[in-house]
Amino acid sequence: MLDAVTALTRGTRLAYSPGLRRYVFAPIVVNLLVYIVVLRVVLANFGGWLEGWMALVPEWLAWLEWLIWPLFVISLVIIVFFTFTLVTHLIAAPFYGFLAARVEVAATGRPPLDDRGFMKTAVDALGRELVKLAYIAPRALLLLVVSWIPGLNLLAPLLWALFSAWVMAIAYLDYPMDNNKVSFADMRRRLRARWWQSLTFGGCVTLVTWIPLANLFLLPGAVSAAVLMWNQHYRELAVSAPR
């Protein structure tokens, strides 16, 4: 049985194998540019964000400042990397979708059901990213509100970690599913049906995104890993709704 760590290991090797590695350079360049911009913004504003957040702590919770401060820092770091990942996916989606299609051919010997050229894949992938964003954004906003509620925000790091794992599962496993004509709604149903595989895979990918600089080269491997996970765990699930 293919697990998340094995899938990521095999997927990374596959992404950089001869015949496929030429498809990973464009998303790496995109990720690098976004990484530089996000890093500059964070370094310029991190201190101010943290001071503003701590100023909201009521006096009756002042005695817990030793615990609240590191939790705020952890939450802020998670939010920053979460935002970074969403932005990079939105920009690099056309390349990731095409990479997933080429990996599926190499890994399984059969093309995806919707084997499109690069331009068609690029347009469709961008549209699909907007659908994902419409699903993720309101939930992330709600979680952000929770993160600012005194007392309740003590749970924020755990909630962000679980949410990030779910979002990463959606973000990456959707590439092969979209290529195989699985609707966004049915994709989520399949992920819920294999919730353990989905969350462990998403959690591993989340950890990969937190590795500075190395994540630029590992994320294409996550796309390849998603194809392997799709083929092993999700392909044969019954389609519960039409596209």
Side-chain angles (χ1 to χ4, degrees):
M1 183 65 70
L2 184 70
D3 60 72
V5 175
T6 303
L8 283 168
T9 302
R10 293 180 184 173
T12 301
R13 288 201 300 263
L14 185 59
Y16 289 95
S17 63
L20 288 175
R21 65 177 63 138
R22 64 179 181 270
Y23 299 116
V24 308
F25 293 120
I28 287 175
V29 172
V30 170
N31 289 341
L32 180 60
L33 293 175
V34 175
Y35 189 92
I36 292 172
V37 172
V38 171
L39 185 61
R40 291 189 63 179
V41 171
V42 170
L43 291 178
N45 297 281
F46 189 87
W49 290 338
L50 189 58
E51 289 179 6
W53 210 343
M54 290 300 298
L56 296 176
V57 177
E59 292 184 5
W60 62 275
L61 281 178
W63 65 278
L64 274 178
E65 185 173 341
W66 64 273
L67 175 63
I68 295 175
W69 185 87
L71 289 176
F72 278 173
V73 172
I74 293 172
S75 297
L76 193 55
V77 169
I78 292 175
I79 292 170
V80 168
F81 276 99
F82 184 79
T83 304
F84 161 76
T85 303
L86 287 181
V87 173
T88 55
H89 285 151
L90 184 62
I91 299 175
F95 305 103
Y96 283 157
F98 193 65
L99 173 62
R102 302 283 72 79
V103 168
E104 187 162 353
V105 174
T108 68
R110 55 188 175 190
L113 295 179
D114 198 358
D115 193 14
R116 303 157 288 189
F118 177 75
M119 291 306 298
K120 183 68 164 57
T121 300
V123 173
D124 291 349
L126 185 58
R128 187 80 161 208
E129 285 301 309
L130 295 177
V131 173
K132 294 181 200 174
L133 189 60
Y135 170 83
I136 294 168
R139 292 163 175 80
L141 182 60
L142 177 61
L143 190 51
L144 184 61
V145 171
V146 170
S147 300
W148 286 77
I149 299 176
L152 192 58
N153 55 18
L154 297 177
L155 297 175
L158 175 62
L159 296 176
W160 274 109
L162 291 173
F163 184 62
S164 297
W166 177 246
V167 167
M168 290 300 100
I170 288 176
Y172 282 90
L173 289 166
D174 186 55
Y175 291 123
M177 294 202 199
D178 183 34
N179 288 339
N180 283 276
K181 297 185 176 182
V182 177
S183 71
F184 186 71
D186 191 57
M187 181 270 297
R188 299 199 316 273
R189 281 188 284 268
R190 292 180 191 231
L191 263 58
R192 287 195 296 268
R194 296 286 187 270
W195 65 270
W196 175 250
Q197 290 85 354
S198 301
L199 286 179
T200 53
F201 176 72
C204 288
V205 174
T206 300
L207 292 177
V208 166
T209 66
W210 290 352
I211 304 175
L213 295 179
N215 56 10
L216 304 178
F217 301 94
L218 294 176
L219 292 182
V223 175
S224 297
V227 175
L228 302 179
M229 293 289 289
W230 148 255
N231 191 60
Q232 177 74 36
H233 297 291
Y234 303 95
R235 181 188 290 275
E236 301 304 325
L237 288 179
V239 177
S240 53
R243 187 177 177 85

